[in-house]
Amino acid sequence: MNQRPFHWLKLRRLPFWRGGAARPDSAEFSRLFDEVGEAAGVLKDSEAGLEAQFLAIGTELERMAGYGNAFVTQVEKLVGLATGKDCDSTIFNNPVGLIERSTEFLEDCQRRTDALVTLLRAYRDQIRELLGTEAALRRTMLPLRFVQVLFKVECAPLNTEIQQLFSSLTEEIESLQGQMRDIFGTNFQKLEQTRDSLEQVIRQLERQESTLRAALATHKSRIGDTLAELRRELDSNQQREVQLNHLSRAVAREVEQVVISLQFQDIVHQKLQHVTAELPRMQARFSEFVGARQEAALSEPMQYLWQSCRLQGGQIEAAREELLRAEAGIKSGIGNVLGQLRELDSRCLSLEEFQLLTTSGDGMVQVLVETLEEVRKLMGESVACAATAHEMLRPLGSLASNLTVIARELAARIHLFGLNAQVQAAQVANGTQGAGLAILSLRTSEICGETNRISEQAAEHLDAMAAGLANCVREFGTLRSEAAAQESSLGQESLAQERVLHAFRDNCLETLRAIGGSLDGIREHAHQTLETIQFTAFCQGILPGLQKPLLNIADSANRWLEDRGCTVKDAHLIEGLKKDYTMASEREVFERLTSSGELFPDSPNPPPRSAEDFELFDALPTSMEGAEPDRKDTGATISPTAPVAPDEPASNVELF
Amino acid sequence: MTHFSMKTQISQEHDVLTLRVPGDLISTNAEAYRTEVARRMEGGGVAGQDWKTFVVDLKAAQMVDSVGLNLIVTWIKWVRDRGGKMRVVCSGGNVLRTFKFTRLDKHVELVEG
């Protein structure tokens, strides 16, 4: 409000008494008005400083409130992330599902490999048996050597032709023995190599099976534990969410309260403006007093001065109380904000469980990422193992088949040899001479039959083994290709899931960093506000500086009036003074003074602000208009304002 | 993938092996560091030399993202398995906060440099 400067010096030039007795008390009033003028000048200058201070604090608080609002939003986001509200709730479920599917596949591979290993062990045992067959064959064919000698003995007395016949038979026997040695020597040696290869494959598969089994058990257990923990954390996050939201909103509310406390500057400013506006009127009344020509005209301006100075002193006191209350409110509010930030730090944001779920280096995200990596590695090892087994077994299948063919050929030739011997013996049969040959031929045929039986049996075993090994090779081939396909699919899918998990953790980290930034911002501006706020000097120096001369004028006026026996109960005068008071708290001071006559009631606590002050602040013109009929209604009979309950200001604040 | 010269970035003095990361440790370069450090430590270079403390110097880093953290965790485990100690040096700010938010400061010696 622009007020015309109050020209106190004019008072000095006024004639104190025109045409009557000198008025010595005018000098005292004049000196007091000088003091008022000086103090009003200081007040005006200081008000500018105070306003600048309010503006600085307002800026700090505005920034603090900005951080407070951002903080609430960030906390809500973090809570949303941790409880799976904001993000896709399958963020953990997808990788877990992938790990479970891959684990199931690996377990299936493990079962199939187990079955194949069992088969390979059986083939290994069969080879051992076949290797035993070699010795049996040798034992079976050993008598042929003696038969050969006996044939020579039996043929000796016979003619040359028969001798040659059986000689060729014995040569065939020798050849057969040689071939037998070669075939069994070479092929059973290969069979031994096959057995060794099988042993090697079995050992490798057993080793891998053991590693895979242990790794799968570990992963399943780890994933199981992690999932259980996830469920626990999600449950407890519901409660934590309530705590976090409650605390973060409490911080924002406190910041808001602090901002509201600051808004009392307008109320104070308005009160002081009313005081300043009254000063020229007092000057005018004092001029009337000084210029009065009749004794009767002296009393009225003096009454006015007495009442007005008391009232303005009261308003200054009320403004001082408002300021002190605002300072206390801001400081207390900031103290609460800082306390709640500490609470948030210790109870919510630093919670290990919360970090475990979102960002921790040994938490949910990390476990899933590592498990995905390890499952991928296991799948790779499984593929490599299946490929190695397949490559190692493949030649074994064909080796077994060759051996079967050779064994069958051998058996057939042995069979023919036996039959030939019998036929030749029958042809040369001649009484007692041929009887020996017949016995030898029969024995030869029996030996050949036995050899044939053993060879056939070996061939059957070899056939079965060859077929089985071929199946094993095929199965390993299938396993290999399925595992390779699974590995490829897992590779792509798991990398995608890892990216999602990393993005989630980055998001959480970013939110936590933003929360940290907001908390720092709130702290910084809170401390800055505490450093800036300096209302005490204004309340203890400037305002009393103006209040004191005004009250002195009131005292002097009172003495002047008492000396002349004047009573100050002029309703018209009081009503005139009242009309400028538009604020509820101003009217309250006014009514207290005019009804009790006491300037400062003996109350330990200053009266709380009326709700109407806030209404005025919010919508000043409307309230001012609304206040006018009220003043008219009250008329000369001023009723005291109803006392306001001490807890009402809180609800008044809610009006904002 | 970012290319960089590792020769000047891994050094050993007495029993302290130091990896100096010249910038951020993030998804675009983490894999290169993983591969190169593994190669140098297990396949040649500093491998075989006695060291007890592995220092990761992140003073030049303004940021470590989730993939970078994953790599740090891998190194922590790797060093722990070998009975060594790990120390991370950072210049404060974001990197320090990140280590605190992820509780990795409880698993490594964190030094503000």
Side-chain angles (χ1 to χ4, degrees):
Chain A
M1 188 185 292
N2 290 324
Q3 293 289 333
R4 179 172 293 180
F6 182 41
H7 299 295
W8 297 96
L9 291 175
K10 287 180 184 174
L11 286 173
R12 296 175 184 276
R13 293 195 292 273
L14 283 172
F16 285 135
W17 186 253
R18 292 177 192 158
R23 202 171 292 158
D25 46 3
S26 298
E28 182 192 344
F29 282 107
S30 193
R31 181 182 56 77
L32 289 171
F33 269 111
D34 281 350
E35 284 180 21
V36 168
E38 200 174 317
V42 173
L43 174 67
K44 193 180 169 189
D45 294 343
S46 302
E47 257 202 304
L50 187 67
E51 194 169 340
Q53 197 184 134
F54 271 121
L55 280 175
I57 295 170
T59 308
E60 293 297 334
L61 290 182
E62 194 180 344
R63 288 176 185 158
M64 197 167 94
Y67 279 117
N69 292 336
F71 171 69
V72 172
T73 312
Q74 288 151 357
V75 168
E76 280 174 357
K77 183 180 175 188
L78 189 65
V79 169
L81 285 169
T83 52
K85 279 185 177 173
D86 269 11
C87 65
D88 181 2
S89 62
T90 57
I91 196 159
F92 291 137
N93 295 341
N94 281 344
V96 167
L98 180 63
I99 291 166
E100 281 177 345
R101 282 199 304 280
S102 302
T103 308
E104 278 169 20
F105 176 81
L106 285 170
E107 280 175 336
D108 183 49
C109 282
Q110 195 184 8
R111 278 192 295 274
R112 287 158 71 182
T113 308
D114 282 351
L116 286 169
V117 167
T118 307
L119 276 175
L120 292 179
R121 284 196 197 110
Y123 297 140
R124 181 192 60 191
D125 295 342
Q126 281 182 20
I127 288 175
R128 278 185 193 146
E129 278 181 31
L130 275 173
L131 290 172
T133 308
E134 184 193 14
L137 275 171
R138 285 186 191 283
R139 275 198 305 276
T140 309
M141 293 172 72
L142 191 62
L144 281 175
R145 188 169 292 173
F146 303 108
V147 169
Q148 189 184 7
V149 174
L150 288 172
F151 266 124
K152 283 180 182 173
V153 171
E154 285 295 325
C155 288
L158 299 176
N159 59 40
T160 312
E161 191 181 344
I162 292 171
Q163 281 181 5
Q164 281 175 348
L165 178 71
F166 280 96
S167 174
S168 65
L169 269 175
T170 54
E171 280 171 9
E172 279 191 41
I173 290 170
E174 279 176 4
S175 164
L176 185 62
Q177 282 177 329
Q179 283 179 36
M180 288 293 283
R181 271 196 307 274
D182 290 345
I183 289 167
F184 283 100
T186 308
N187 289 288
F188 276 73
Q189 193 182 357
K190 287 181 181 174
L191 214 53
E192 277 177 354
Q193 286 172 358
T194 305
R195 180 197 60 190
D196 293 344
S197 298
L198 275 178
E199 286 284 2
Q200 200 180 339
V201 173
I202 289 166
R203 270 201 300 276
Q204 187 187 330
L205 289 173
E206 281 174 344
R207 258 202 314 277
Q208 192 233 355
E209 183 198 355
S210 161
T211 312
L212 193 66
R213 196 187 298 275
L216 284 175
T218 306
H219 286 313
K220 284 186 83 170
S221 155
R222 198 175 176 197
I223 292 294
D225 291 348
T226 310
L227 284 176
E229 193 175 297
L230 173 69
R231 277 191 287 274
R232 272 199 306 276
E233 289 310 316
L234 286 176
D235 287 343
S236 57
N237 269 352
Q238 304 294 334
Q239 298 172 346
R240 205 166 295 135
E241 177 192 7
V242 173
Q243 281 184 9
L244 265 175
N245 280 339
H246 173 76
L247 279 172
S248 62
R249 290 201 175 108
V251 169
R253 266 200 307 277
E254 285 294 345
V255 171
E256 203 173 281
Q257 293 285 348
V258 173
V259 174
I260 288 168
S261 296
L262 186 67
Q263 289 169 348
F264 286 107
Q265 63 156 323
D266 278 1
I267 297 169
V268 171
H269 186 60
Q270 198 171 338
K271 280 181 178 168
L272 292 179
Q273 275 185 334
H274 287 158
V275 172
T276 313
E278 179 60 19
L279 295 180
R281 278 198 287 272
M282 285 196 284
Q283 178 200 24
R285 301 312 295 267
F286 181 61
S287 299
E288 280 176 29
F289 171 77
V290 173
R293 292 181 180 276
Q294 294 178 355
E295 185 69 22
L298 289 173
S299 171
E300 202 270 343
M302 194 51 74
Q303 282 184 33
Y304 182 91
L305 280 180
W306 178 68
Q307 284 285 18
S308 180
C309 284
R310 288 173 69 225
L311 285 171
Q312 301 321 317
Q315 293 301 346
I316 289 172
E317 180 60 22
R320 195 180 71 86
E321 284 168 2
E322 292 287 1
L323 265 181
L324 289 175
R325 199 176 299 136
E327 181 172 355
I330 291 170
K331 284 182 176 171
S332 151
I334 286 178
N336 289 343
V337 169
L338 293 175
Q340 272 166 344
L341 292 187
R342 278 193 295 275
E343 183 88 346
L344 270 166
D345 259 352
S346 63
R347 282 178 56 187
C348 300
L349 295 180
S350 313
L351 279 179
E352 287 192 356
E353 295 87 345
F354 198 83
Q355 289 171 320
L356 275 172
L357 200 66
T358 55
T359 57
S360 170
D362 52 2
M364 191 70 189
V365 173
Q366 188 66 28
V367 167
L368 288 173
V369 167
E370 284 177 9
T371 310
L372 283 171
E373 281 173 3
E374 284 173 27
V375 167
R376 218 166 35 228
K377 192 176 151 200
L378 277 180
M379 193 69 84
E381 283 172 6
S382 187
V383 170
C385 188
T388 310
H390 186 221
E391 294 303 324
M392 285 171 79
L393 283 175
R394 196 184 289 179
L396 296 191
S398 60
L399 178 74
S401 297
N402 289 342
L403 198 62
T404 308
V405 172
I406 293 165
R408 280 197 172 140
E409 279 177 9
L410 185 67
R413 287 176 65 189
I414 288 170
H415 183 64
L416 284 173
F417 172 74
L419 287 175
N420 195 26
Q422 274 188 301
V423 171
Q424 295 302 328
Q427 283 178 353
V428 298
N430 182 16
T432 53
Q433 262 193 330
L437 287 174
I439 290 167
L440 283 175
S441 299
L442 184 63
R443 182 62 190 140
T444 303
S445 184
E446 282 172 3
I447 291 169
C448 289
E450 182 63 14
T451 307
N452 191 21
R453 190 187 60 77
I454 293 171
S455 300
E456 272 297 325
Q457 202 175 21
E460 275 174 20
H461 281 157
L462 280 171
D463 266 349
M465 194 176 68
L469 276 173
N471 276 338
C472 284
V473 171
R474 271 195 300 277
E475 181 60 18
F476 270 111
T478 309
L479 207 59
R480 179 186 182 178
S481 57
E482 282 179 16
Q486 188 73 19
E487 185 193 20
S488 166
S489 156
L490 173 71
Q492 290 171 2
E493 217 176 320
S494 65
L495 288 176
Q497 291 301 331
E498 275 183 42
R499 277 195 291 274
V500 170
L501 287 168
H502 283 310
F504 169 75
R505 184 155 67 178
D506 279 338
N507 198 359
C508 291
L509 279 171
E510 189 52 47
T511 309
L512 277 172
R513 282 191 208 108
I515 287 175
S518 293
L519 291 180
D520 286 350
I522 292 174
R523 277 194 200 97
E524 185 195 334
H525 291 294
H527 288 300
Q528 195 63 41
T529 304
L530 289 178
E531 281 177 20
T532 309
I533 196 163
Q534 291 294 338
F535 298 157
T536 314
F538 192 80
C539 293
Q540 290 179 351
I542 311 298
L543 290 180
L546 179 59
Q547 189 188 37
K548 194 179 169 188
L550 284 173
L551 294 178
N552 286 340
I553 292 173
D555 280 349
S556 296
N558 191 33
R559 274 200 308 279
W560 192 92
L561 290 167
E562 280 176 357
D563 288 348
R564 285 155 183 80
C566 296
T567 53
V568 189
K569 293 292 178 188
D570 190 332
H572 172 72
L573 176 66
I574 292 170
E575 187 60 24
L577 285 168
K578 185 185 174 186
K579 69 180 180 186
D580 287 330
Y581 297 134
T582 53
M583 295 169 72
S585 62
E586 285 182 314
R587 288 202 298 275
E588 192 180 319
V589 171
F590 177 85
E591 284 163 11
R592 195 169 65 231
L593 286 170
T594 50
S595 61
S596 68
E598 289 178 11
L599 187 58
F600 307 116
D602 294 332
S603 167
N605 298 314
R609 300 174 298 273
S610 299
E612 290 170 55
D613 282 355
F614 298 102
E615 288 159 10
L616 279 170
F617 174 74
D618 255 1
L620 192 57
T622 313
S623 296
M624 285 177 80
E625 283 166 14
E628 193 61 32
D630 184 40
R631 290 202 297 272
K632 283 178 183 169
D633 289 346
T634 51
T637 51
I638 302 164
S639 63
T641 306
V644 183
D647 57 344
E648 272 192 25
S651 59
N652 291 338
V653 170
E654 294 297 324
L655 289 172
F656 285 94
Chain B
M1 186 173 284
T2 306
H3 297 282
F4 48 84
S5 165
M6 265 297 182
K7 283 185 182 174
T8 56
Q9 293 168 347
I10 299 182
S11 58
Q12 185 171 353
E13 192 171 337
H14 305 298
D15 60 354
V16 178
L17 186 65
T18 303
L19 167 71
R20 191 178 63 80
V21 181
D24 295 344
L25 188 57
I26 50 177
S27 58
T28 50
N29 59 20
E31 200 51 41
Y33 278 105
R34 183 196 298 272
T35 310
E36 193 60 29
V37 169
R39 188 181 70 78
R40 291 291 299 273
M41 288 184 174
E42 293 186 343
V46 295
Q49 298 186 39
D50 243 3
W51 56 268
K52 288 176 185 167
T53 306
F54 179 45
V55 178
V56 180
D57 185 346
L58 291 171
K59 281 201 291 268
Q62 298 293 316
M63 168 136 182
V64 175
D65 72 359
S66 178
V67 180
L69 286 171
N70 194 36
L71 180 57
I72 298 271
V73 172
T74 306
W75 284 339
I76 290 172
K77 289 180 179 173
W78 188 82
V79 169
R80 195 184 293 159
D81 288 348
R82 281 156 183 78
K85 281 195 303 183
M86 184 156 158
R87 186 185 307 146
V88 173
V89 185
C90 66
S91 58
N94 257 348
V95 176
L96 184 70
R97 267 186 182 166
T98 302
F99 272 83
K100 288 190 173 168
F101 289 146
T102 53
R103 303 194 317 146
L104 285 181
D105 58 331
K106 292 177 173 41
H107 300 277
V108 292
E109 188 188 346
L110 193 60
V111 180
E112 265 188 271

